[in-house]
Amino acid sequence: MATMATKSNHLPLGDQRNAPFYGKDILSVKQFSREDLTYIYGVAHEMREMVARIGTFDLLKGKILANLFYEPSTRTSSSFTAAMERLGGSVIPINEVKYSSVSKGESLPDTVRTLECYADVIVLRHPEVGASALAAKYARKPIINAGDGVGEHPTQALLDLFTIVEELGHVEGLNVTMLGDLKYGRTVHSLARLLSLYQVKINFVSPELLKMPPEIIEEVKEKSIQISEHSELEPVLAETDVLYVTRVQKERFENLDEYEQVKSLYVITPETLKQAKKKMIVMHPLPRVGEISPEVDGDPRAAYFRQMEYGLYIRMALLAMVLGKA
Ligand code: ASP
């Protein structure tokens, strides 16, 4: 399987071949252990310090990233671009596949085999579950999954957990509430799996229609994580340390009447946060489309804008790692 295989035999000389993630694909959070996370967060910390101190530096000078996005993106695509450029590398942006040979009917394996002739690493977002794993099977260069349909979004989960660590100082023992579209939201699929490496309590709050998929509940339960499922936020809000709010994923609904029924069931307002702990955080992978009212933005517990910045350091760390420079 290409998942954890090091594709180092095709990478240029001079790289640090002993670096732990050198030449690896990043496809799912399932590939990470707690030790890996400690390592990644250590590198991300260094990246944060370097950016604060000197802004841009030459760690990946001469390296090229291909950013291949078959679905819309603002944060993931631009943060990978910023990450590569802050490390002195450059980017081939393919954000509009309709202007590429994809619109002529080119297959994903052929497209990645093309891009790897020009780039050292490929970041891929695609509407189908498993697309990154498929790409990784064909590519000699590392593939980073930037969201595969309703499947996973591993780099988002890494930055989400990094946000929790940076903001609250630890993960162990926390009470995490995930709210909204738990069925189609790939970020919560990845985050629930990643959190299950720790002793946490997870509350899933959603309408019946948008419940967390049973296979993910099973996976998390197997790790002896305490979980609870609710349709209202109220019973779990007061004990919550991390409130992770999600958007209802309109683009995944076959029946738009169903979307209309569930689209605005939960809205976080300053009134909601009166019931919450003084020391807790509100997160959101963004974009938000009404789930958190803008009046919450000024509350120090609103961490969603800071969360985006943490994403830059995580993506810098990942690029440096898979290219053997960290
Ligand atoms: N930006 C996140 C994603 O790509 C969350 C969302 O779109 O709601 O999954």
Side-chain angles (χ1 to χ4, degrees), residues 24-306:
K24 303 243 167 88
D25 302 307
I26 308 247
L27 302 180
S28 161
V29 291
K30 291 182 200 169
Q31 71 193 75
F32 299 117
S33 65
R34 275 179 70 153
E35 291 68 42
D36 292 333
L37 297 179
T38 306
Y39 179 78
I40 296 168
Y41 295 156
V43 179
H45 254 291
E46 280 176 38
M47 295 300 177
R48 187 182 187 178
E49 274 168 28
M50 290 295 277
V51 170
R53 219 164 347 118
I54 52 173
T56 298
F57 46 105
D58 277 348
L59 193 67
L60 295 184
K61 192 171 169 15
K63 300 287 184 190
I64 299 176
L65 157 70
N67 240 356
L68 176 59
F69 280 68
Y70 290 70
E71 279 192 334
S73 169
T74 303
R75 272 150 294 273
T76 308
S77 136
S78 56
S79 63
F80 266 113
T81 299
M84 196 62 184
E85 290 185 356
R86 286 203 176 270
L87 292 168
S90 49
V91 182
I92 301 172
I94 307 192
N95 290 332
E96 289 274 11
V97 287
K98 64 174 183 277
Y99 298 123
S100 76
S101 285
V102 169
S103 67
K104 300 178 187 169
E106 186 164 66
S107 69
L108 180 62
D110 283 3
T111 302
V112 296
R113 281 184 290 208
T114 305
L115 289 172
E116 70 177 355
C117 297
Y118 316 129
D120 301 288
V121 52
I122 299 173
V123 169
L124 173 69
R125 170 168 292 183
H126 196 280
E128 280 159 35
V129 176
S132 298
L134 175 73
K137 218 185 267 175
Y138 288 91
R140 293 170 289 121
K141 307 278 174 72
I143 299 285
I144 301 180
N145 179 3
D148 60 335
V150 300
E152 279 220 34
H153 196 344
T155 69
Q156 176 75 44
L158 289 172
L159 81 86
D160 290 341
L161 196 68
F162 187 56
T163 303
I164 295 172
V165 175
E166 293 294 295
E167 296 273 323
L168 297 176
H170 65 107
V171 185
E172 214 58 48
L174 291 180
N175 187 307
V176 180
T177 298
M178 300 186 186
L179 173 77
D181 187 346
L182 309 185
K183 178 179 180 188
Y184 298 123
R186 55 193 170 201
T187 70
V188 281
H189 299 167
S190 291
L191 184 58
R193 287 180 169 128
L194 204 57
L195 280 170
S196 70
L197 293 175
Y198 298 83
Q199 288 301 316
V200 290
K201 174 161 192 268
I202 310 181
N203 313 302
F204 296 122
V205 183
S206 70
E208 190 59 32
L209 207 61
L210 299 178
K211 282 175 84 169
M212 183 61 84
E215 64 277 13
I216 298 178
I217 301 252
E218 279 316 305
E219 267 179 53
V220 172
K221 267 190 184 159
E222 269 170 29
K223 304 269 178 62
S224 321
I225 299 302
Q226 229 187 310
I227 63 159
S228 69
E229 289 186 272
H230 305 268
S231 56
E232 299 292 334
L233 176 59
E234 207 272 323
V236 291
L237 179 58
E239 67 191 36
T240 294
D241 298 300
V242 176
L243 176 59
Y244 192 99
V245 185
T246 63
R247 165 181 78 91
V248 178
Q249 311 274 302
K250 183 178 182 186
E251 67 274 31
R252 310 287 180 211
F253 282 74
E254 278 170 18
N255 177 348
L256 278 184
D257 289 341
E258 285 191 347
Y259 168 71
E260 291 299 324
Q261 282 167 34
V262 291
K263 69 173 189 199
S264 24
L265 288 179
Y266 311 106
V267 180
I268 306 302
T269 64
E271 202 50 37
T272 320
L273 290 190
K274 281 189 187 152
Q275 321 301 321
K277 289 183 179 177
K278 291 269 169 295
K279 189 175 178 220
M280 55 86 73
I281 51 171
V282 181
M283 297 175 65
H284 193 306
L286 301 175
R288 64 173 155 181
V289 286
E291 316 77 44
I292 302 179
S293 90
E295 290 89 74
V296 173
D297 297 355
D299 190 308
R301 293 171 289 185
Y304 33 90
F305 296 130
R306 300 191 291 274

